[in-house]
Amino acid sequence: MASFPAEEEGVGIARRCWIKFKKESTFALYTPFLVSLASGTLNLNTFRHYIAQDVHFLKAFVQAYEAAEECTDDDDAKVGIRESRKNVIEELKMHDAVLKEWGIDLVKEFTLNPATAKYTGFLSATASGKIEGVKAAKLATPFERTKLAAYTLGAMTPCMRLYAYIGKELQVFLEGEKIHPYKKWIDSYASEGFQASALQTEDLLDKLSVSLTGEELDIIEKLYHQAMKLEIELFLAQPLVRNAIIPLSKDHNPAEHRLTIFSDFDLTCTVVDSSAILAEIAIITAPKSDQNRPENQIARMSLADLRNTWGDLSKQYTEEYEQCIEKMLLTEKAEKFDYGRLHKTLEQLSDFEKRANNRVVESGVLKGLNLEDIKRAGQRLILQDGCTNFFQSVIRNENLNSDIHVLSYCWCGDLIRSSFSSGGIDGLDVHANEFMFQESLSTGEIVKKVESPIDKVQAFSKILMNCPKDKKNLTVYIGDSVGDLLCLLEADVGIVLGSSSSLRRVGNHFGVSFVPLFPGVVQKQKMCTGVDSSSWKELSGVLYTASSWAEIHAFVLGS
């Protein structure tokens, strides 16, 4: 199937779709409804409304299973679908019992809200063969009707897998809680029984999809994606009585507030370090010897000398960097967060980074790189999944008074600007070093602007100092390395992307706490009485770890 990477071809369609649309599951988890539910602060009337809507939804699920069973001519599949339908009926009975316990008349007190109606309508339409790209006349034969069963399961499976995922993710918030108002709900979806039901539905989808063509599998993929998006709408449609603290952009008034987002570039935004890209350009374009070089052109190393020199520089940098980190950790471990000592200690790393840059310049390896080659490399540079979409969404959001600043050690700011520009992102400020050029060829010299952790935090502070003082400023910094530590801590919200061991080791040594972002958000929700950006404080000593740009997007902007 063309839609999926080759390495996933041996995996069933259900698993492949879940992996492909993992971003949507993150967006669902970060909805105000689920954050409030996880924290135990969700208003009971909101939960009652949700349960009532879920009853309508589950009834549509039962009908869809019935339609799928009628369509398939595979006896084993029929048995599996029948079993899945029974599980939903049991869930429906549990909901009905809860509603009666609350004294709620579903028909009188809760009508279908638009989001529920949209989802149930989508299920009904799919089960009856009203599917975009599928002609109803083609579903007349028993073989064709089996395809309809697969399509129907494609629209149902993501709901099962999403709730199984949510149950497991929220179960951690029951630990250490004597009383959690929504323990029963969380436990039901985290239970082995529901996890098995979700897996059974996925197995059924895989079984019914075995004989489908690539085009037909594409239809299932689209149905799966649509169902995931409808689930998010369902959560977003629940009326909250108590305000949620997320997304950060919620209730952001451009006339009164400013959102300033800072990000590192190498390995935060990119998949590979920019120095490796510049090395590749240098090696690819290097002369095999210094013969036939036109007069007045900047002298360049031969290919062999360039490879050897790059190798020596890289090895020396890695060894000395690790030695510098180890030396920092020989100091006395802080009993509590100590920003002053951390700042002082990182001056050692700053000196090291500047010496390393001087060695690169003196070696001459950067001489003769063509500006156009650098820009083309930037255009082809692979960014982390979701990074481009996040920055595009910030820039396009007219309700945000926002600025984006990229702070980077990168030797060549043109590479960064070209990379973002190729993704349609032109509304951000790049603060990086720059190459010096002579007639579009690098002289090998670097205009040194941001070389070290100290340079970064000074640039960070200068940017904020120059912000107009007429608006309340909320700052977010996203980074991945030790060089980002000071900026991460100076920001109101510091988000660590990736799993740098040196960052954690140095941070822990000076009393920095690392908290996974979602649990951190749930804890904030539990503590706060309303939406107040002041609940996020700079220099708190707490940094939040995120697994992806999708998670950052969900936290800052929502879905």
Side-chain angles (χ1 to χ4, degrees), residues 34-53:
L34 284 179
V35 168
S36 299
L37 189 149
S39 69
T41 63
L42 184 71
N43 183 272
L44 184 57
N45 284 333
T46 299
F47 187 67
R48 286 172 173 170
H49 180 276
Y50 163 76
I51 291 294
Q53 294 300 314

Side-chain angles (χ1 to χ4, degrees), residues 55 91-103 184:
V55 168
E91 188 180 352
L92 198 50
K93 286 179 180 177
M94 181 182 74
H95 280 17
D96 281 335
V98 170
L99 290 173
K100 286 178 182 177
E101 186 180 317
W102 286 338
K184 189 174 181 181

Side-chain angles (χ1 to χ4, degrees), residues 336-353:
K336 60 181 181 178
F337 175 51
D338 192 335
Y339 181 82
R341 275 187 59 212
L342 174 61
H343 191 289
K344 186 69 178 174
T345 305
L346 282 175
E347 290 175 8
Q348 300 172 26
L349 185 61
S350 295
D351 292 340
F352 157 75
E353 294 285 5

Side-chain angles (χ1 to χ4, degrees), residues 150-444:
Y151 294 151
T152 303
L153 265 292
M156 301 170 74
T157 300
C159 172
M160 297 294 291
R161 175 48 56 202
L162 181 62
Y163 272 79
Y165 166 75
I166 289 169
K168 285 295 187 184
E169 288 293 313
L170 299 196
Q171 195 174 38
V172 68
F173 301 109
L174 302 180
E175 296 172 8
E177 292 280 343
K178 292 182 179 179
I179 300 174
H180 191 293
Y182 304 112
K183 181 181 187 306
K184 189 174 181 181
W185 186 91
I186 295 171
D187 280 340
S188 67
Y189 290 112
S191 68
E192 290 184 8
F194 190 85
Q195 299 294 317
S197 294
L199 186 59
Q200 182 181 40
T201 306
E202 289 176 324
D203 289 342
L204 282 169
L205 175 58
D206 289 344
K207 182 179 179 63
L208 292 168
S209 304
V210 167
S211 61
L212 300 189
T213 65
E215 185 178 346
E216 289 160 349
L217 290 173
D218 281 340
I219 291 170
I220 287 181
E221 179 185 329
K222 289 174 183 175
L223 291 168
Y224 194 107
H225 191 202
Q226 180 65 10
M228 289 288 279
K229 290 189 288 186
L230 288 170
E231 282 287 356
I232 296 170
E233 288 184 31
L234 207 64
F235 291 133
L236 290 173
Q238 305 312 311
L240 296 183
V241 174
R242 178 177 177 178
N243 284 329
I245 65 164
I246 61 161
L248 279 187
S249 59
K250 184 178 181 287
D251 297 330
H252 190 84
N253 183 351
E256 299 176 5
H257 306 111
R258 175 179 287 102
L259 176 64
T260 307
I261 296 173
F262 297 86
S263 178
D264 175 47
F265 183 67
D266 288 319
L267 302 180
T268 296
C269 294
T270 67
V271 174
V272 296
D273 191 277
S274 63
S275 59
I277 298 297
L278 293 168
E280 184 181 347
I281 298 170
I283 290 169
I284 289 173
T285 60
K288 293 184 178 178
S289 70
D290 60 2
Q291 297 176 357
N292 303 319
R293 177 171 56 83
E295 289 186 24
N296 301 323
Q297 190 179 87
I298 293 173
R300 297 192 66 186
M301 283 186 178
S302 67
L303 178 60
D305 287 343
L306 186 57
R307 284 186 188 278
N308 290 334
T309 305
W310 267 118
D312 291 342
L313 287 169
S314 297
K315 182 180 178 182
Q316 185 176 3
Y317 178 89
T318 301
E319 289 176 353
E320 291 188 9
Y321 178 84
E322 290 174 357
Q323 290 169 8
C324 191
I325 295 296
E326 293 304 322
K327 186 178 178 182
M328 290 166 63
L329 297 174
L330 290 175
T331 59
E332 185 180 354
K333 192 176 189 303
E335 294 182 6
K336 60 181 181 178
F337 175 51
D338 192 335
Y339 181 82
R341 275 187 59 212
L342 174 61
H343 191 289
K344 186 69 178 174
T345 305
L346 282 175
E347 290 175 8
Q348 300 172 26
L349 185 61
S350 295
D351 292 340
F352 157 75
E353 294 285 5
K354 291 180 179 182
R355 288 196 305 271
N357 279 347
N358 286 335
R359 283 199 298 267
V360 171
V361 172
E362 290 165 4
S363 72
V365 293
L366 299 176
K367 283 185 178 180
L369 271 68
N370 190 296
L371 177 58
E372 291 307 310
D373 289 337
I374 292 169
K375 288 181 177 179
R376 277 193 291 271
Q379 291 167 3
R380 295 193 294 267
L381 194 61
I382 299 173
L383 299 185
Q384 299 272 7
D385 188 34
C387 174
T388 299
N389 185 252
F390 171 72
F391 286 125
Q392 285 176 339
S393 298
V394 172
I395 292 167
R396 292 170 184 170
N397 191 331
E398 296 178 358
N399 294 323
L400 285 180
N401 178 17
S402 61
D403 296 310
I404 303 172
H405 298 271
V406 176
L407 303 181
S408 174
Y409 290 174
C410 179
W411 292 323
C412 184
D414 287 303
L415 182 75
I416 300 175
R417 286 184 284 271
S418 175
S419 174
F420 282 121
S421 183
S422 67
I425 306 169
D426 296 309
L428 46 70
D429 295 309
V430 174
H431 310 264
N433 305 300
E434 304 287 351
F435 278 169
M436 293 181 68
F437 291 98
Q438 180 181 314
E439 296 181 357
S440 296
L441 295 179
S442 167
T443 65

